[in-house]
Short mmCIF file of all heavy atoms in Angstrom, two decimals:
data_model
loop_
_atom_site.label_atom_id
_atom_site.label_comp_id
_atom_site.label_asym_id
_atom_site.label_seq_id
_atom_site.Cartn_x
_atom_site.Cartn_y
_atom_site.Cartn_z
N ALA G 1 -4.79 -3.70 -0.14
CA ALA G 1 -3.58 -3.20 -0.80
C ALA G 1 -2.36 -3.39 0.09
O ALA G 1 -1.27 -3.74 -0.39
CB ALA G 1 -3.75 -1.73 -1.15
N LEU G 2 -2.53 -3.16 1.40
CA LEU G 2 -1.42 -3.33 2.34
C LEU G 2 -0.91 -4.77 2.32
O LEU G 2 0.32 -5.00 2.25
CB LEU G 2 -1.88 -2.96 3.75
CG LEU G 2 -0.83 -3.08 4.86
CD1 LEU G 2 0.17 -1.93 4.75
CD2 LEU G 2 -1.50 -3.07 6.24
N LEU G 3 -1.82 -5.72 2.38
CA LEU G 3 -1.42 -7.13 2.38
C LEU G 3 -0.78 -7.51 1.05
O LEU G 3 0.21 -8.26 1.01
CB LEU G 3 -2.63 -8.02 2.66
CG LEU G 3 -3.22 -7.91 4.08
CD1 LEU G 3 -4.50 -8.72 4.19
CD2 LEU G 3 -2.20 -8.38 5.10
N ALA G 4 -1.35 -7.00 -0.05
CA ALA G 4 -0.80 -7.31 -1.36
C ALA G 4 0.62 -6.77 -1.50
O ALA G 4 1.53 -7.47 -1.99
CB ALA G 4 -1.69 -6.74 -2.46
N LEU G 5 0.86 -5.57 -1.05
CA LEU G 5 2.19 -4.97 -1.13
C LEU G 5 3.17 -5.71 -0.22
O LEU G 5 4.33 -5.94 -0.61
CB LEU G 5 2.12 -3.49 -0.75
CG LEU G 5 1.41 -2.58 -1.75
CD1 LEU G 5 1.11 -1.21 -1.13
CD2 LEU G 5 2.27 -2.41 -3.01
N ALA G 6 2.71 -6.07 0.97
CA ALA G 6 3.60 -6.76 1.91
C ALA G 6 4.03 -8.12 1.38
O ALA G 6 5.18 -8.54 1.59
CB ALA G 6 2.90 -6.93 3.26
N HIS G 7 3.15 -8.80 0.67
CA HIS G 7 3.45 -10.15 0.19
C HIS G 7 4.02 -10.18 -1.22
O HIS G 7 4.20 -11.25 -1.81
CB HIS G 7 2.19 -11.03 0.26
CG HIS G 7 1.80 -11.37 1.67
ND1 HIS G 7 0.93 -10.59 2.42
CD2 HIS G 7 2.18 -12.40 2.47
CE1 HIS G 7 0.78 -11.14 3.61
NE2 HIS G 7 1.53 -12.23 3.68
N THR G 8 4.30 -9.00 -1.77
CA THR G 8 4.97 -8.95 -3.07
C THR G 8 6.34 -8.29 -2.95
O THR G 8 6.87 -7.78 -3.93
CB THR G 8 4.10 -8.19 -4.10
OG1 THR G 8 3.74 -6.90 -3.58
CG2 THR G 8 2.85 -8.99 -4.44
N GLY G 9 6.85 -8.26 -1.73
CA GLY G 9 8.22 -7.79 -1.52
C GLY G 9 8.39 -6.32 -1.28
O GLY G 9 9.51 -5.83 -1.25
N HIS G 10 7.30 -5.58 -1.11
CA HIS G 10 7.39 -4.14 -0.86
C HIS G 10 7.30 -3.91 0.66
O HIS G 10 6.23 -3.87 1.23
CB HIS G 10 6.26 -3.39 -1.58
CG HIS G 10 6.28 -3.56 -3.06
ND1 HIS G 10 5.71 -4.65 -3.70
CD2 HIS G 10 6.82 -2.80 -4.04
CE1 HIS G 10 5.87 -4.53 -5.00
NE2 HIS G 10 6.55 -3.42 -5.24
N GLY G 11 8.47 -3.75 1.27
CA GLY G 11 8.51 -3.72 2.72
C GLY G 11 8.80 -2.37 3.34
O GLY G 11 8.92 -2.28 4.56
N GLY G 12 8.91 -1.32 2.56
CA GLY G 12 9.26 0.00 3.11
C GLY G 12 8.05 0.78 3.60
O GLY G 12 6.89 0.40 3.35
N GLY G 13 8.33 1.88 4.27
CA GLY G 13 7.26 2.71 4.79
C GLY G 13 6.41 3.33 3.71
O GLY G 13 5.19 3.53 3.89
N MET G 14 6.99 3.63 2.56
CA MET G 14 6.21 4.22 1.48
C MET G 14 5.25 3.23 0.84
O MET G 14 4.30 3.62 0.16
CB MET G 14 7.13 4.85 0.44
CG MET G 14 7.88 6.07 0.94
SD MET G 14 6.82 7.33 1.71
CE MET G 14 5.92 7.93 0.28
N ALA G 15 5.50 1.94 1.05
CA ALA G 15 4.52 0.94 0.60
C ALA G 15 3.25 1.05 1.43
O ALA G 15 2.13 0.93 0.90
CB ALA G 15 5.12 -0.46 0.70
N ILE G 16 3.41 1.28 2.73
CA ILE G 16 2.24 1.50 3.58
C ILE G 16 1.50 2.75 3.13
O ILE G 16 0.27 2.76 3.01
CB ILE G 16 2.66 1.62 5.06
CG1 ILE G 16 3.42 0.37 5.51
CG2 ILE G 16 1.45 1.87 5.95
CD1 ILE G 16 3.95 0.45 6.93
N PHE G 17 2.25 3.80 2.86
CA PHE G 17 1.65 5.05 2.38
C PHE G 17 0.89 4.82 1.08
O PHE G 17 -0.20 5.36 0.88
CB PHE G 17 2.74 6.10 2.19
CG PHE G 17 2.24 7.42 1.67
CD1 PHE G 17 1.82 8.41 2.55
CD2 PHE G 17 2.19 7.68 0.31
CE1 PHE G 17 1.36 9.63 2.08
CE2 PHE G 17 1.73 8.89 -0.17
CZ PHE G 17 1.31 9.87 0.72
N LEU G 18 1.48 4.04 0.18
CA LEU G 18 0.85 3.79 -1.12
C LEU G 18 -0.52 3.14 -0.96
O LEU G 18 -1.44 3.41 -1.75
CB LEU G 18 1.76 2.90 -1.97
CG LEU G 18 1.24 2.51 -3.36
CD1 LEU G 18 0.97 3.75 -4.21
CD2 LEU G 18 2.23 1.59 -4.06
N SER G 19 -0.67 2.28 0.05
CA SER G 19 -1.96 1.63 0.24
C SER G 19 -3.06 2.65 0.55
O SER G 19 -4.22 2.46 0.18
CB SER G 19 -1.86 0.58 1.36
OG SER G 19 -1.63 1.18 2.61
N TRP G 20 -2.72 3.74 1.22
CA TRP G 20 -3.69 4.80 1.47
C TRP G 20 -4.15 5.42 0.15
O TRP G 20 -5.34 5.64 -0.07
CB TRP G 20 -3.07 5.90 2.34
CG TRP G 20 -2.98 5.56 3.78
CD1 TRP G 20 -2.18 4.63 4.35
CD2 TRP G 20 -3.73 6.15 4.85
NE1 TRP G 20 -2.36 4.60 5.71
CE2 TRP G 20 -3.31 5.52 6.04
CE3 TRP G 20 -4.69 7.15 4.92
CZ2 TRP G 20 -3.83 5.86 7.29
CZ3 TRP G 20 -5.20 7.49 6.16
CH2 TRP G 20 -4.78 6.85 7.32
N THR G 21 -3.20 5.69 -0.73
CA THR G 21 -3.53 6.30 -2.02
C THR G 21 -4.40 5.37 -2.84
O THR G 21 -5.38 5.81 -3.47
CB THR G 21 -2.24 6.63 -2.78
OG1 THR G 21 -1.43 7.48 -1.97
CG2 THR G 21 -2.55 7.32 -4.10
N ILE G 22 -4.07 4.09 -2.84
CA ILE G 22 -4.87 3.12 -3.59
C ILE G 22 -6.30 3.09 -3.08
O ILE G 22 -7.26 3.04 -3.86
CB ILE G 22 -4.22 1.73 -3.51
CG1 ILE G 22 -2.88 1.72 -4.24
CG2 ILE G 22 -5.15 0.66 -4.09
CD1 ILE G 22 -2.09 0.44 -4.08
N GLY G 23 -6.47 3.14 -1.75
CA GLY G 23 -7.82 3.14 -1.18
C GLY G 23 -8.64 4.33 -1.65
O GLY G 23 -9.81 4.18 -2.03
N ASN G 24 -8.04 5.51 -1.66
CA ASN G 24 -8.76 6.70 -2.13
C ASN G 24 -9.07 6.63 -3.62
O ASN G 24 -10.16 7.03 -4.06
CB ASN G 24 -7.95 7.96 -1.82
CG ASN G 24 -8.09 8.40 -0.38
OD1 ASN G 24 -9.09 8.15 0.28
ND2 ASN G 24 -7.06 9.05 0.14
N VAL G 25 -8.12 6.14 -4.40
CA VAL G 25 -8.33 6.05 -5.85
C VAL G 25 -9.52 5.16 -6.17
O VAL G 25 -10.36 5.48 -7.02
CB VAL G 25 -7.05 5.52 -6.54
CG1 VAL G 25 -7.35 5.11 -7.98
CG2 VAL G 25 -5.96 6.57 -6.52
N VAL G 26 -9.60 4.01 -5.49
CA VAL G 26 -10.68 3.06 -5.77
C VAL G 26 -12.02 3.58 -5.26
O VAL G 26 -13.06 3.36 -5.89
CB VAL G 26 -10.35 1.69 -5.13
CG1 VAL G 26 -11.54 0.73 -5.26
CG2 VAL G 26 -9.12 1.09 -5.79
#
């Protein structure tokens, strides 16, 4: 999720945070 967000233009700190949430959801 981190790599996907980074390469789709999401460069803020909350994008990193979002990857944690995605990991738990899955």
Side-chain angles (χ1 to χ4, degrees):
L2 180 74
L3 292 174
L5 290 167
H7 289 90
T8 53
H10 300 84
M14 292 308 291
I16 302 176
F17 179 89
L18 179 59
S19 67
W20 282 69
T21 304
I22 293 173
N24 280 333
V25 167
V26 173

